[in-house]
């Protein structure tokens, strides 16, 4: 045990040192890329594109469509304006509060120096607190009706920013990625299967982060029995910003849980829900909003991390993905969550050129495998992925407990949770946490399956499980 323990400590030390070096380099690289992209955006699109390297105060002065409000007894908030109401719906503070590894070390050193040199630190502490809490909550929502003239003035003021061309220079210009621009820009893409008339029941499928409706249509849909397809109408939706759905450029106002749900809720009125990963958050929000309409709730790898007392929910959630060097999927999550411009570069290389990657995959595998996973992974913009991750996954972290309490107390439908035993992105403990909050939920941990193979590779078995769930749910 002594030798094993020593080797474990050495391995952890090596991993920590390597992580520090790698992420310090990434901190510097992200800063450099910030100015690179600002310059390129200016020359190609004749406009400096605002990013989240700036402070919240700077964000509202760059004609970005955001305004700053302050309520008595509360900190200032960045909010968005819609229709004839001011929707006090905040942008997640994690978009602005992403301190770098090097910056944290520097701040710690400076604070220690000040602590030793300055006797009275009250003023310093007060100033620091005001700065770091200027945007300190997320996804709080309230609304109040205001005079239409005032609204029009505000909309003219904050809406004066120039719209970007479709697509942007760094986004893919293929027909698949931009098919939405030729139709109604407000409508989500929905793949529908099943009867058109005499529909028995509706089923809504919601995919996860950086995915699309093909996650369902290429797996479980072909494996449903004829009787199921004759009774159930199946809806697989591309979430806003993904697949064939609209990909708005100013996504801060669109990539929020409430906006996704408002888009989805117009599709069906009474339904079963099947959701994967990030889709579970939207599924729970829908279930809470329409408790009497949901007939069954099936969640796969729900990302529920209970927030410790005293912790800020959004920052705690983002910290779960912080500076993970290993396994590879954790490293990818860190890049996606912490580095705005590095992740934009990855999207530029992968998403903009997804047709090349699909061709190479077919060439290397001699067309022996389907490329729907690659298409689902690549058919999005950086704007969509970045804002979805922060405004939904991080921004709703503080609401998850309330969602689950409502599900337990107000929903009468059956609740089933599936999780892959080898899931390295969303650990099995998340489903265990759901079971703790909703004791009547049926949790199944599938052996030797991960975040993707919980469905892919066992689609036939999962189709049978879903049919059984719907059958036992009644009408």
């Amino acid at each position: 045990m002594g030798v094993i323990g020593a080797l474990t400590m050495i391995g952890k030390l090596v991993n920590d040192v390597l992580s520090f070096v790698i992420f310090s380099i990434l901190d510097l690289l992200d800063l450099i890329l910030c100015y690179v992209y600002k310059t390129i955006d200016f020359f190609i699109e004749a406009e400096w594109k605002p990013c989240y390297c700036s402070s919240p105060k700077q964000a509202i002065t760059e004609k970005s469509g955001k305004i700053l409000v302050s309520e008595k007894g509360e900190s200032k908030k960045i909010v968005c304006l819609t229709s004839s109401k001011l929707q006090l719906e905040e942008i997640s503070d994690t978009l602005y509060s992403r301190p770098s590894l090097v910056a944290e070390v520097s701040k710690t050193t400076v604070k220690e120096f000040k602590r030793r040199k300055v006797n009275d630190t009250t003023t310093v502490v007060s100033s620091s607190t005001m700065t770091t809490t200027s945007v300190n909550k997320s996804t709080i929502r309230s609304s109040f009706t205001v005079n239409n003239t005032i609204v029009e003035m505000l909309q003219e003021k904050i809406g004066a920013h120039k719209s970007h061309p479709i697509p942007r220079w760094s986004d893919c210009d293929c027909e698949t990625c931009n098919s939405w621009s030729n139709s109604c820009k407000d409508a989500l893409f929905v793949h529908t299967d099943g009867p058109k008339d005499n529909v028995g029941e509706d089923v809504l499928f919601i995919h996860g982060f950086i995915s699309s409706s093909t996650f369902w249509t290429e797996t479980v849909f072909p494996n449903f029995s004829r009787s199921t397809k004759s009774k159930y109408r199946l809806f697989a939706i591309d979430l806003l910003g993904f697949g064939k759905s609209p990909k708005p450029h100013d996504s801060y106002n669109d990539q929020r849980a409430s906006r996704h749900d408002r888009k989805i809720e117009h599709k069906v009125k009474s339904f079963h829900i099947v959701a994967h990963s990030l889709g579970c958050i939207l599924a729970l929000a829908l279930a809470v909003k329409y408790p009497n309409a949901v007939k069954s709730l099936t969640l796969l790898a729900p990302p529920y991390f209970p927030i410790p007392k005293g912790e800020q929910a959004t920052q705690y959630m983002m910290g779960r993905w912080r500076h993970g060097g290993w396994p590879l999927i954790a490293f990818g999550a860190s890049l996606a969550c912490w580095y705005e411009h590095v992740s934009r570069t990855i999207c530029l290389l992968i998403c903009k050129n997804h047709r090349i990657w699909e061709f190479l995959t077919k060439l290397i595998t001699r067309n022996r495998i389907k490329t729907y996973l690659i298409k689902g992974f690549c058919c999005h913009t950086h704007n969509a992925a970045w804002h979805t991750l922060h405004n939904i996954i991080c921004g709703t972290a503080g609401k998850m407990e309330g969602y689950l309490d409502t599900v337990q107390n107000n929903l009468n439908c059956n609740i089933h949770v599936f999780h892959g035993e080898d899931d390295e992105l969303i650990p099995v403990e998340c489903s265990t946490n759901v079971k703790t909050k909703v004791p009547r939920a049926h949790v199944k941990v599938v052996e030797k399956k991960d975040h993707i193979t919980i469905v892919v590779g066992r689609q036939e078995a999962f189709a049978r499980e879903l049919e059984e769930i719907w059958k036992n749910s009644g009408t």
Side-chain angles (χ1 to χ4, degrees):
M1 290 296 292
V3 176
I4 295 176
L7 291 175
T8 302
M9 289 183 62
I10 293 173
K12 185 178 184 303
L13 179 62
V14 170
N15 183 64
D16 290 344
V17 171
L18 286 176
S19 295
F20 179 82
V21 173
I22 291 172
F23 286 107
S24 295
I25 294 173
L26 288 172
D27 288 338
L28 180 60
L29 178 61
D30 202 60
L31 178 62
I32 295 172
L33 288 173
C34 173
Y35 291 99
V36 170
Y37 282 121
K38 280 183 179 294
T39 302
I40 297 176
D41 288 341
F42 179 78
F43 279 105
I44 296 180
E45 299 175 352
E47 180 183 8
W48 295 105
K49 183 181 183 302
C51 67
Y52 293 101
C53 296
S54 58
S55 66
K57 184 177 180 180
Q58 288 176 297
I60 65 170
T61 62
E62 293 180 317
K63 293 184 179 181
S64 58
K66 292 169 258 187
I67 59 176
L68 189 68
V69 300
S70 178
E71 294 181 4
K72 186 176 181 180
E74 296 187 14
S75 61
K76 295 181 178 65
K77 315 182 187 88
I78 292 182
V79 301
C80 305
L81 179 67
T82 58
S83 66
S84 62
K85 290 187 177 183
L86 277 175
Q87 296 290 346
L88 298 188
E89 193 160 6
E90 297 180 57
I91 299 167
S92 176
D93 66 308
T94 58
L95 286 165
Y96 293 99
S97 304
R98 294 173 289 108
S100 69
L101 202 60
V102 174
E104 284 188 357
V105 173
S106 301
K107 287 180 181 179
T108 302
T109 304
V110 171
K111 285 182 180 180
E112 180 64 19
F113 177 79
K114 287 183 177 180
R115 188 185 67 82
R116 294 183 179 184
K117 295 294 183 180
V118 182
N119 293 326
D120 186 7
T121 60
T122 304
T123 304
V124 175
V125 172
S126 176
S127 176
S128 174
T129 303
M130 288 179 63
T131 301
T132 57
T133 59
S134 60
V135 183
N136 70 336
K137 299 179 183 178
S138 65
T139 331
I140 298 175
R141 187 180 180 191
S142 60
S143 63
F144 54 92
T145 304
V146 296
N147 185 279
N148 286 336
T149 303
I150 297 176
V151 172
E152 290 173 3
M153 291 172 61
L154 285 170
Q155 286 176 328
E156 182 179 357
K157 189 72 174 176
I158 70 174
H161 59 289
K162 183 179 179 180
S163 60
H164 298 292
I166 299 175
R168 300 200 63 196
W169 71 268
S170 55
D171 297 335
C172 179
D173 59 355
C174 77
E175 183 178 350
T176 300
C177 292
N178 293 279
S179 58
W180 63 275
S181 62
N182 297 320
S183 59
C184 178
K185 296 183 180 180
D186 240 7
L188 296 179
F189 174 82
V190 182
H191 179 103
T192 306
D193 199 354
K196 295 182 179 180
D197 300 316
N198 300 320
V199 178
E201 299 177 30
D202 290 323
V203 185
L204 183 63
F205 290 82
I206 309 176
H207 65 77
F209 183 57
I210 309 186
S211 186
S212 72
S213 57
T214 58
F215 184 79
W216 306 112
T217 60
E218 296 287 341
T219 56
V220 292
F221 275 36
N223 286 283
F224 285 127
S225 65
R226 287 186 179 181
S227 60
T228 294
K229 288 186 177 182
S230 65
K231 180 180 180 181
Y232 298 94
R233 185 169 55 177
L234 312 175
F235 294 93
I237 294 178
D238 280 341
L239 295 178
L240 197 65
F242 298 90
K244 296 181 180 180
S245 280
K247 300 173 179 63
H249 296 309
D250 297 320
S251 304
Y252 62 84
N253 189 34
D254 296 283
Q255 306 308 133
R256 302 188 305 264
S258 60
R259 180 67 184 269
H260 280 276
D261 284 340
R262 284 197 294 270
K263 293 284 189 180
I264 293 171
E265 66 192 35
H266 294 296
K267 302 300 177 184
V268 287
K269 298 302 181 183
S270 180
F271 45 87
H272 300 272
I273 303 179
V274 182
H276 175 242
S277 193
L278 169 142
C280 295
I281 300 174
L282 303 177
L284 287 170
L286 277 174
V288 166
K289 191 171 183 179
Y290 302 103
N292 297 323
V294 180
K295 297 183 176 181
S296 73
L297 185 60
T298 303
L299 308 176
L300 290 83
Y304 171 51
F305 299 90
I307 309 300
K309 289 184 178 180
E311 292 278 357
Q312 186 178 339
T314 54
Q315 293 293 330
Y316 175 80
M317 189 64 178
M318 186 172 69
R320 297 288 308 193
W321 319 113
R322 185 179 187 178
H323 299 147
W326 189 261
L328 185 61
I329 196 170
F331 179 72
S334 293
L335 287 181
C337 191
W338 284 80
Y339 298 101
E340 179 179 3
H341 305 291
V342 171
S343 58
R344 183 181 179 183
T345 303
I346 294 173
C347 281
L348 176 62
L349 295 174
I350 296 178
C351 299
K352 183 177 177 64
N353 301 292
H354 70 88
R355 289 165 291 183
I356 296 176
W357 298 112
E358 291 171 23
F359 171 76
L360 291 175
T361 301
K362 291 180 180 179
L363 183 65
I364 294 172
T365 63
R366 296 181 181 179
N367 207 27
R368 287 178 296 185
I369 65 171
K370 294 183 178 181
T371 58
Y372 65 87
L373 287 177
I374 296 177
K375 289 181 180 179
F377 181 79
C378 295
C379 287
H380 68 274
T381 62
H382 170 254
N383 238 15
W386 179 256
H387 291 92
T388 296
L389 192 154
H390 283 278
N391 285 334
I392 296 183
I393 296 180
C394 295
T396 60
K399 289 189 171 185
M400 287 292 286
E401 185 172 349
Y403 286 164
L404 293 171
D405 284 339
T406 302
V407 167
Q408 169 65 16
N409 298 326
N410 297 349
L411 264 71
N412 297 319
C413 68
N414 291 332
I415 300 153
H416 293 262
V417 181
F418 293 83
H419 215 117
E421 180 184 42
D422 300 330
D423 194 330
E424 294 179 323
L425 183 62
I426 308 294
V428 176
E429 68 183 72
C430 287
S431 287
T432 305
N433 295 335
V434 171
K435 176 71 173 178
T436 301
K437 294 294 295 182
V438 187
R440 61 191 176 86
H442 304 277
V443 177
K444 179 178 180 178
V445 178
V446 185
E447 295 181 356
K448 299 180 181 180
K449 299 299 178 183
D450 58 28
H451 198 66
I452 301 299
T453 56
I454 186 66
V455 174
V456 179
R458 64 178 298 269
Q459 50 261 37
E460 185 175 352
F462 187 55
R464 300 289 84 77
E465 290 167 337
L466 287 177
E467 289 172 343
E468 190 66 21
I469 289 171
W470 302 337
K471 179 182 177 181
N472 295 330
S473 296
T475 57

